[in-house]
Amino acid sequence: MTQFNYKTQTEKYEFISKQHGGYYRHNFTDHAYLYNLYFPPKAVFTTLKEKIHNIVLNYPMAQNALAGLIGNIIDQPAERIIVGNGASEIIKIISGHLAKKLIVPVPSFNEYANASPEGHVVEFPLEFPSFQLDVDKFAAESIKIGADMAVVVTPNNPTSMLVSKTDLIRLVQKLEKHDCMLIVDESFLDFAEDKDKISLEREIQNHMNTAILKSMSKAYGICGLRIGYMLTANSAFADSVRKRIPIWNINGFAEEFLRILPAYKQEFIDSCKKVREDRDNFYKKLLAIPDMTVFKPDANFIFCRLPEKALSGPEVTKRLFIKHNIYIKDSHEKTQQEADRYIRIASRTEKENCKLVDALVDVLY
């Protein structure tokens, strides 16, 4: 612990709350970051260890070959795919360099707005207090402000709610008439029921004004490898993103992971099923907390409104860490009404989720 500049649990909280990762170094239970605890299997790590010599000493492959590896995994042509050093690299290009006027429903993943130059982004409030996206209102506002790019995260972060495929297709069609690209972030879709019936991936060739963005960190549990991708049938848009990607943006460990991943397809499916089972049990336990509003989750995390007489989200989050060494996220930095009344909790193992519920009840008031 001496390498970190904190002496008490309160100082530790202040330090951690300003970090964006590296949590495993600090010995607490992380119900903040959102990833699959049941993947990759040990065999993947064994392969990476066996090949570490070549991986470290040699250049990794460049973009076209990497796109082919992703294409093998998702059964799509390589020319439709751009591989990023995490989805964040692609978001930076889309929001920061390509969008002249971008619109994003809020609350949502902050990076889309944060990466956009000042004056280039419009935040569209979700319906309150349901946090549902009214796609007709969203389309109308997008057209009204002259947006050339619109973003929908499904399931959304932090609300963990899906936008239906029917709604997305209606949105795509409305925006298409006004030359507006729709960016659909499906990073958490693997944790939803019947994801193949919800994703636009199989129909991407029918919607030239659509791109799907996906962080692989969440579903595949590989945050440290930094892999994300964009899928689009719009070759001009694909090229505009691709030409801004460095020649070697993905390291050799990430490349090797993509190469061996198809061999673990069933293990991945099973891991997502296990995540859903844990999440659903967790949801039921949270529902039992008196006066707590718990939104039904489609992803691997749960969005809650704290009871009216409970402490604020930031205070509950802080007390949970200081007293129980458990870290969650509150919503005070999100653009939403009454933001300090909401928290977002990642689902972990059954045992950890049970412990979280007990600890949360302990610090609410």
Side-chain angles (χ1 to χ4, degrees):
M1 290 292 188
T2 53
Q3 68 193 99
F4 301 113
N5 192 26
Y6 52 74
K7 296 185 179 71
T8 67
Q9 188 72 356
T10 301
E11 288 180 4
K12 181 177 173 181
Y13 172 78
E14 298 300 333
F15 180 85
I16 294 300
S17 63
K18 295 178 176 64
Q19 304 306 305
H20 295 284
Y23 289 175
Y24 69 96
R25 302 177 188 276
H26 299 271
N27 186 33
F28 62 89
T29 306
D30 175 15
H31 279 272
Y33 274 124
L34 314 170
Y35 50 89
N36 184 347
L37 295 177
Y38 303 111
F39 200 85
K42 288 182 180 179
V44 170
F45 295 98
T46 301
T47 300
L48 293 178
K49 282 191 280 188
E50 288 172 351
K51 299 191 176 182
I52 191 169
H53 191 82
N54 280 330
I55 289 173
V56 170
L57 293 180
N58 291 283
Y59 278 98
M61 300 192 309
Q63 188 62 215
N64 59 342
L66 290 167
L69 293 179
I70 295 279
N72 290 339
I73 296 163
I74 65 172
D75 191 26
Q76 289 280 352
E79 59 267 22
R80 293 180 181 171
I81 298 165
I82 296 91
V83 187
N85 191 284
S88 56
E89 181 175 47
I90 300 172
I91 291 171
K92 188 73 174 175
I93 293 169
I94 290 170
S95 290
H97 299 281
L98 297 181
K100 297 180 180 68
K101 180 73 74 173
L102 181 141
I103 185 167
V104 58
V106 291
S108 188
F109 183 48
N110 287 348
E111 198 58 25
Y112 287 99
N114 291 347
S116 184
E118 191 173 346
H120 286 231
V121 66
V122 172
E123 294 183 326
F124 175 85
L126 292 168
E127 299 291 305
F128 187 83
S130 70
F131 294 100
Q132 297 290 338
L133 175 64
D134 185 320
V135 295
D136 298 305
K137 289 181 182 177
F138 184 54
E141 185 66 15
S142 302
I143 293 160
K144 178 183 172 184
I145 66 166
D148 62 328
M149 214 171 290
V151 174
V152 172
V153 182
T154 179
N156 188 30
N157 176 10
T159 66
S160 199
M161 293 184 206
L162 279 168
V163 179
S164 74
K165 189 173 186 176
T166 305
D167 279 353
L168 285 174
I169 290 174
R170 191 162 80 253
L171 178 59
V172 166
Q173 291 168 342
K174 285 174 178 277
L175 296 180
E176 189 172 21
K177 300 168 189 171
H178 296 270
D179 296 322
C180 182
M181 282 291 294
L182 177 64
I183 310 298
V184 183
D185 189 325
E186 295 188 354
S187 293
F188 296 101
L189 203 65
D190 290 284
F191 302 122
E193 300 285 352
D194 299 320
K195 69 146 186 160
D196 292 331
K197 295 178 183 177
I198 304 163
S199 174
L200 290 184
E201 211 170 79
R202 292 295 117 212
E203 300 174 35
I204 196 74
Q205 70 280 358
N206 300 329
H207 306 292
M208 300 304 291
N209 66 319
T210 304
I212 293 171
L213 195 62
K214 193 157 186 178
S215 160
M216 295 183 76
S217 301
K218 284 78 173 174
Y220 292 94
I222 51 158
C223 307
L225 290 184
R226 311 303 309 135
I227 316 173
Y229 65 85
M230 188 184 85
L231 172 71
T232 183
N234 186 325
S235 57
F237 187 68
D239 286 342
S240 67
V241 175
R242 194 178 288 117
K243 72 181 183 181
R244 288 172 170 83
I245 295 278
I247 185 170
W248 291 294
N249 68 321
I250 301 296
N251 67 56
F253 290 98
E255 178 201 319
E256 187 61 29
F257 176 80
L258 293 176
R259 191 179 300 282
I260 65 176
L261 185 56
Y264 300 96
K265 184 175 181 179
Q266 189 57 49
E267 288 90 338
F268 175 64
I269 292 169
D270 292 344
S271 74
C272 291
K273 182 181 177 184
K274 177 62 175 163
V275 169
R276 284 193 293 274
E277 289 171 356
D278 288 347
R279 173 204 67 198
D280 291 344
N281 289 334
F282 190 28
Y283 170 63
K284 291 171 188 172
K285 288 181 173 65
L286 288 169
L287 276 176
I289 298 176
D291 302 319
M292 178 100 93
T293 303
V294 187
F295 294 84
K296 194 171 190 312
D298 291 305
N300 61 332
F301 54 94
I302 301 176
F303 191 54
C304 304
R305 182 186 172 96
L306 294 164
E308 290 305 318
K309 293 182 181 179
L311 297 169
S312 69
E315 188 61 30
V316 166
T317 300
K318 183 175 183 178
R319 289 180 63 170
L320 198 59
F321 189 89
I322 292 169
K323 191 171 181 182
H324 295 279
N325 206 35
I326 297 172
Y327 191 46
I328 64 172
K329 287 285 188 182
D330 64 75
S331 289
H332 81 279
E333 292 184 342
K334 296 290 184 182
T335 307
Q336 66 178 80
Q337 289 187 53
E338 303 175 12
D340 70 344
R341 302 308 305 162
Y342 293 83
I343 55 175
R344 187 200 72 191
I345 313 170
S347 177
R348 293 183 62 88
T349 65
E350 179 79 6
K351 182 179 178 181
E352 288 169 321
N353 289 344
C354 289
K355 184 179 177 183
L356 179 282
V357 172
D358 291 341
L360 186 58
V361 170
D362 182 53
V363 300
L364 277 179
Y365 297 97

